[in-house]
Amino acid sequence: YIDFEIPQLASNTVPIATLLSRYYTNSGDYKKAILLIDKGIKANPYINYSYEQKIITLLYQENIQEALSVSRAIFIKEINNKNYAEIYYELSQIIKNENEFIDSYKHLYKANEDIHQLFFSNYILLERYSEETLLNLLKSSIDLYPNITELNLLYQELKNKLK
């Protein structure tokens, strides 16, 4: 008998509950998969694999809002991880939420140039957004990273448009 509630002995070990959750996700039993993933997160909240599995399972369920919430948490935790940023920003686009982008920007002061570029390349794909807000956010990023050509070009283009 294996008790999945007991955490593993090492902090870098993927919890057994999370590993088992993949079986349930693949077989379409998403409720059981989420239950096991949550046990895995409780057993070892420091392993990103459990959060990744939760996002995957939530997306299979078409639960975009909760997948966004989980992806936001993992992105903020790993602010310079391009894969997590891509997932988070793509989900933000799907729900067409400019405020999600604006709220996430406060965490970008710790982010590298690639993440800033990714932020803006996704932001401008929104169907509707405030050009004034975009201009202000661009200015802040350019202050941090003045040599990013793409951001400077976008800033100048938008500034000329708003004149």
Side-chain angles (χ1 to χ4, degrees):
Y1 171 74
I2 299 174
D3 185 354
F4 303 119
E5 302 286 326
I6 299 172
Q8 274 61 13
L9 299 176
S11 64
N12 62 349
T13 304
V14 175
I16 293 171
T18 300
L19 294 173
L20 285 174
S21 74
R22 284 191 68 186
Y23 167 79
Y24 289 100
T25 296
N26 292 339
S27 67
D29 189 348
Y30 305 125
K31 187 175 181 179
K32 180 71 172 173
I34 292 290
L35 180 69
L36 287 167
I37 292 166
D38 287 341
K39 287 180 181 184
I41 290 171
K42 183 178 177 187
N44 190 347
Y46 307 105
I47 295 292
N48 291 339
Y49 183 79
S50 296
Y51 298 99
E52 293 167 8
Q53 286 305 119
K54 188 165 187 176
I55 293 167
I56 290 166
T57 304
L58 290 167
L59 290 174
Y60 273 123
Q61 291 178 293
E62 298 181 9
N63 188 342
I64 305 298
Q65 196 64 47
E66 194 171 343
L68 175 66
S69 178
V70 176
S71 71
R72 178 189 315 115
I74 196 171
F75 167 62
I76 291 168
K77 182 176 150 189
E78 302 284 342
I79 197 75
N80 287 312
N81 185 308
K82 195 170 181 178
N83 291 331
Y84 295 152
E86 286 174 346
I87 292 166
Y88 173 61
Y89 290 132
E90 286 178 20
L91 290 173
S92 296
Q93 272 183 43
I94 289 170
I95 64 165
K96 300 176 173 109
N97 191 339
E98 182 182 15
N99 288 331
E100 190 69 42
F101 280 92
I102 294 167
D103 291 344
S104 75
Y105 189 82
K106 66 185 169 203
H107 301 284
L108 293 189
Y109 72 92
K110 301 180 284 185
N112 63 36
E113 293 179 29
D114 290 341
I115 302 303
H116 280 260
Q117 286 181 279
L118 190 60
F119 172 87
F120 289 105
S121 65
N122 281 277
Y123 193 114
I124 63 174
L125 293 176
L126 288 169
E127 289 178 11
R128 294 181 19 218
Y129 58 85
S130 164
E131 292 175 337
E132 192 66 41
T133 300
L134 177 59
L135 190 68
N136 292 331
L137 295 176
L138 274 165
K139 176 72 173 113
S140 295
S141 287
I142 290 169
D143 287 345
L144 282 173
Y145 298 109
N147 297 323
I148 302 177
T149 305
E150 294 85 358
L151 297 188
N152 281 294
L153 290 172
L154 181 58
Y155 179 79
Q156 287 305 318
E157 179 184 318
L158 195 56
K159 191 173 176 183
N160 291 337
K161 182 180 178 185
L162 292 175
K163 281 185 180 179

